[in-house]
Amino acid sequence: MAAGGKAGPKSPSKPRAVPGPGPLAHGWLVLYNIVLTAGWIAVLYVYIVHVLNNPSPPEVYSGIYDSVEVVLKVFQSLALLEIVHAALGIVPSNVLLTAFQVFSRVFLLWGVAHPFKEAQTSLGMSLCIAAWTITEIIRYSFYTFALLKMKPYVLQWCRYTFFIVLYPIGVSGELLAIYSALTPAAEQKAFSLEMPNPLNFSFYYHYFLVGGMLTYIPVFPQLYFHMVRQRRKIIGGVTKVVKKE
């Protein structure tokens, strides 16, 4: 107590340290990120080989999906575990934003590209695969080094700079791929349920795809500007200059 019976000024409270994952979870995250980094490097290798063997632009983007399909499906589907990681709290990611980002890609592979050849051979598919691949190699390798208490500045700069171009390219590619599937989905009445039926309920998959495209309007800006804020916080938006007195 200070003189006069009044309490003295309170010392500023220190922010609570966010506990990291336990040893078992930490080991799992290191292994997971190493495997995913290697997987996306494999996707990039197959992508480059396809481009070198098919110099004509139409042949390049129309055949990309067939070349990378298996390895792409495996390692993109493994990203579903990121939602589990966020839900369990072993990573500090927002569960809803993580779920949207992961589900949008997994759905594009299994719900759009897998059933519709038109989506597979679209320019949009090759664009989003290229954007995903570069993004994920940088992201998973950055996470691996961070978990090992190492953060190479070059990798950190790439992580918080390349998204400026890669995010819009990836989202544009995803939307173009979904758009290319709308006509065949409507003509084939794929995954649709028409009236009359015992459930007394109708469902049209091509309308569902349109609805999926509309969800990008509110969610993509949140993801993008979240990364912009992270960039300002971690590497700064303006180069700092130290002045000599």
Side-chain angles (χ1 to χ4, degrees):
M1 299 287 288
K6 294 183 180 179
K10 295 181 179 180
S11 58
S13 58
K14 295 181 180 180
R16 294 180 180 178
V18 179
L24 185 61
H26 183 271
W28 162 251
L29 289 175
V30 171
L31 176 62
Y32 174 79
N33 284 284
I34 289 174
V35 170
L36 269 291
T37 301
W40 283 102
I41 289 174
V43 174
L44 179 62
Y45 172 77
V46 176
Y47 195 110
I48 292 173
V49 169
H50 174 83
V51 171
L52 293 177
N53 292 335
N54 299 274
S56 174
E59 293 177 355
V60 170
Y61 69 77
S62 63
I64 283 289
Y65 180 83
D66 286 340
S67 297
V68 304
E69 179 180 7
V70 175
V71 67
L72 178 65
K73 282 180 175 177
V74 169
F75 289 101
Q76 184 58 74
S77 297
L78 282 174
L80 289 168
L81 290 173
E82 293 186 31
I83 303 172
V84 179
H85 296 161
L88 292 176
I90 62 174
V91 295
S93 303
N94 181 285
V95 179
L96 292 178
L97 289 179
T98 300
F100 175 83
Q101 195 168 24
V102 172
F103 273 132
S104 66
R105 293 185 181 184
V106 172
F107 174 74
L108 187 69
L109 284 181
W110 292 102
V112 177
H114 182 76
F116 303 112
K117 187 71 176 178
E118 291 82 355
Q120 298 175 16
T121 58
S122 67
L123 173 62
M125 199 68 214
S126 65
L127 286 176
C128 64
I129 292 174
W132 294 354
T133 302
I134 298 170
T135 298
E136 299 300 55
I137 290 173
I138 294 171
R139 188 167 70 94
Y140 286 117
S141 58
F142 174 78
Y143 289 159
T144 300
F145 279 106
L147 287 164
L148 297 173
K149 309 299 182 185
M150 296 182 290
K151 289 185 180 180
Y153 180 78
V154 172
L155 191 57
Q156 182 171 273
W157 186 88
C158 291
R159 165 77 176 121
Y160 293 102
T161 303
F162 281 23
F163 80 91
I164 296 171
V165 175
L166 293 176
Y167 265 32
I169 291 175
V171 168
S172 299
E174 292 172 27
L175 291 172
L176 286 172
I178 297 172
Y179 180 78
S180 67
L182 292 179
T183 299
E187 292 176 347
Q188 300 169 23
K189 299 180 181 179
F191 312 118
S192 298
L193 182 65
E194 294 186 302
M195 296 284 284
N197 61 70
L199 298 176
N200 196 32
F201 171 79
S202 62
F203 173 79
Y204 295 95
Y205 192 61
H206 61 288
Y207 290 143
F208 176 75
L209 293 178
V210 172
M213 294 174 74
L214 293 176
T215 63
Y216 281 74
I217 296 173
V219 178
F220 170 69
Q222 293 186 52
L223 291 171
Y224 191 81
F225 288 109
H226 169 72
M227 287 299 295
V228 171
R229 289 190 294 271
Q230 288 295 99
R231 185 180 195 278
R232 289 173 180 167
K233 177 182 177 182
I234 293 171
I235 65 175
V238 180
T239 302
K240 296 180 179 179
V241 179
V242 178
K243 295 183 179 180
K244 295 182 179 180
E245 294 185 359

